[in-house]
Amino acid sequence: MINFIESWKKLKIIVRKRMIGTIPVFEVVEDTDQNNPLPIIVYYHGWQINKTLVITQGRKLAAKGFRVVLPDAENHGERIQTVSTIPSLTFFNSIHTNLFEFGYIIDYFKKRHLTTNFIGVGGLSMGGMTTCALMTHNPEINAAACIMGTPALTDYRNMIHRHATSRNIYLPQDYFYLTSWIPKYDLSRQPELLGDRPFFIWHGDEDEKVPFSQTKAFVEENPELNMEVIFEHTGHLVQTQTMDRIADFFERSHNDHLEELHK
C-alpha cells in the first residue's frame, strides 16, 4: 500500500508501508525506481519513538538513489508494548530483536530482486547502538552510520546496573548472565571487525541520554579505522544538517564501493 507520494528535491519519493513477516516498515524510494534493484539501507529509530520520526532521514537517503527501509523496533510504533519496570529489559530486548530481524529484512528484498550488492545500516540513539552491534557479525554490510548511539554496549549495560543498584531498583541477580549476548556484539571490544568499512559517527558532547564519553573513547582508541567523525556542542537531538551529512556519507560510500567493483 502506498501511503503518500511527495515531491522531494524535484523527485517523487514514495513512502510505502510494508509488513515483512510481523515487522511493520516504511520503504522509502524514488517513484521511478521502486521496482528496480537498488542499494539498500536499513535505518533504525531510537528508544520510545518509531519509524515515522525517521522518515525525513529516509527521504534524504532515497533522494540519493537508495531503497531505504525504516522498521518499527519491537515494543515501538505499531508494535508498542508497556515498558517493563525492570531497568533495561524492554530496551535491550528491542535491540536484540533488531539484530534477529536485520537479515530477515534484507532477505525479503533480495528474494524480490530489489537490491544490489550494497547494504548500508544506520540509526539514531538506540538505533545507533543496533547499528554498532550489527557491524560485529554482519560482514555483508558495506557502510554504517551511528548517530548519538554508543559503540560500547557493555559499558552502557554496566552503567544501567550501577544506576539501578545505587537507587535500590530491582534487577535480577543473574542480570549479567541474562544480558550475556551484549559483550559478543560490543563493537568497542572488537573494533577490528569493522575492517576498512566506512563508518560515520555523530555525537553531541552535551548528550544527556547516551554518554558522549563512550563514543569519544572509541574514536580516540581506534584511529586506524575508516571513520568519519563529527562531534558537536549539542545535546541528544539530530538537526537537518546532520541528516544531510548522513545522506552524503552513504552516497560517497556507495560511489567508492562501485569504484572498487570496477577496478
Side-chain angles (χ1 to χ4, degrees):
M1 178 180 70
I2 297 176
N3 287 39
F4 52 87
I5 302 175
E6 292 187 358
S7 176
W8 183 257
K9 293 184 179 179
K10 298 181 180 179
L11 300 174
K12 285 186 177 179
I13 302 296
I14 291 177
V15 180
R16 171 184 293 172
K17 182 177 177 180
R18 287 188 186 265
M19 286 297 295
I20 300 178
T22 60
I23 312 165
V25 308
F26 284 144
E27 177 192 358
V28 191
V29 64
E30 186 180 350
D31 181 28
T32 55
D33 276 337
Q34 61 179 304
N35 297 316
N36 296 328
L38 295 175
I40 190 169
I41 297 173
V42 182
Y43 199 87
Y44 294 94
H45 63 75
W47 170 243
Q48 291 192 306
I49 59 173
N50 58 64
K51 62 185 181 303
T52 302
L53 296 183
V54 288
I55 284 180
T56 298
Q57 181 68 78
R59 290 173 182 151
K60 288 178 179 291
L61 290 166
K64 298 288 189 180
F66 295 99
R67 184 180 309 280
V68 187
V69 184
L70 312 175
D72 267 335
E74 184 74 14
N75 309 306
H76 293 76
E78 295 180 56
R79 310 166 84 180
I80 192 71
Q81 299 288 335
T82 302
V83 175
S84 173
T85 55
I86 301 174
S88 79
L89 173 58
T90 306
F91 179 80
F92 284 130
N93 278 351
S94 300
I95 294 177
H96 202 202
T97 304
N98 282 343
L99 302 182
F100 264 95
E101 294 176 343
F102 172 75
Y104 186 67
I105 291 170
I106 297 297
D107 186 64
Y108 175 91
F109 289 97
K110 278 187 175 180
K111 285 180 175 177
R112 287 156 179 79
H113 307 290
L114 295 173
T115 65
T116 64
N117 57 5
F118 182 91
I119 299 172
V121 64
L124 57 90
S125 193
M126 182 184 78
M129 297 181 201
T130 295
T131 297
C132 291
L134 283 168
M135 296 304 282
T136 65
H137 285 72
N138 294 273
E140 72 276 14
I141 297 172
N142 300 101
C146 173
I147 312 305
M148 61 187 186
T150 175
L153 206 55
T154 307
D155 288 346
Y156 191 78
R157 175 196 67 174
N158 296 347
M159 181 189 73
I160 291 172
H161 183 268
R162 289 194 301 272
H163 175 85
T165 301
S166 68
R167 288 161 176 77
N168 292 317
I169 300 172
Y170 172 81
L171 278 177
Q173 62 180 5
D174 55 347
Y175 176 75
F176 292 110
Y177 286 102
L178 290 167
T179 56
S180 60
W181 62 271
I182 288 176
K184 298 177 180 67
Y185 286 83
D186 187 328
L187 186 60
S188 71
R189 293 192 168 197
Q190 42 203 340
E192 69 280 359
L193 294 179
L194 270 180
D196 62 354
R197 292 178 292 175
F199 192 57
F200 181 94
I201 289 178
W202 181 92
H203 212 136
D205 64 5
E206 290 191 330
D207 193 323
E208 69 284 4
K209 295 182 178 180
V210 179
F212 169 74
S213 59
Q214 294 176 1
T215 304
K216 184 172 183 286
F218 177 80
V219 170
E220 291 177 347
E221 292 166 7
N222 298 285
E224 75 285 356
L225 296 178
N226 185 14
M227 292 188 288
E228 182 175 331
V229 181
I230 300 174
F231 293 149
E232 294 193 48
H233 189 55
T234 188
H236 198 74
L237 181 66
V238 177
Q239 303 288 348
T240 301
Q241 183 182 23
T242 303
M243 296 182 197
D244 290 330
R245 288 171 169 171
I246 295 164
D248 290 342
F249 161 78
F250 277 111
E251 181 180 41
R252 287 193 303 274
S253 299
H254 181 241
N255 288 340
D256 290 345
H257 173 75
L258 291 178
E259 286 183 13
E260 284 295 317
L261 289 178
H262 292 99
K263 278 185 178 178

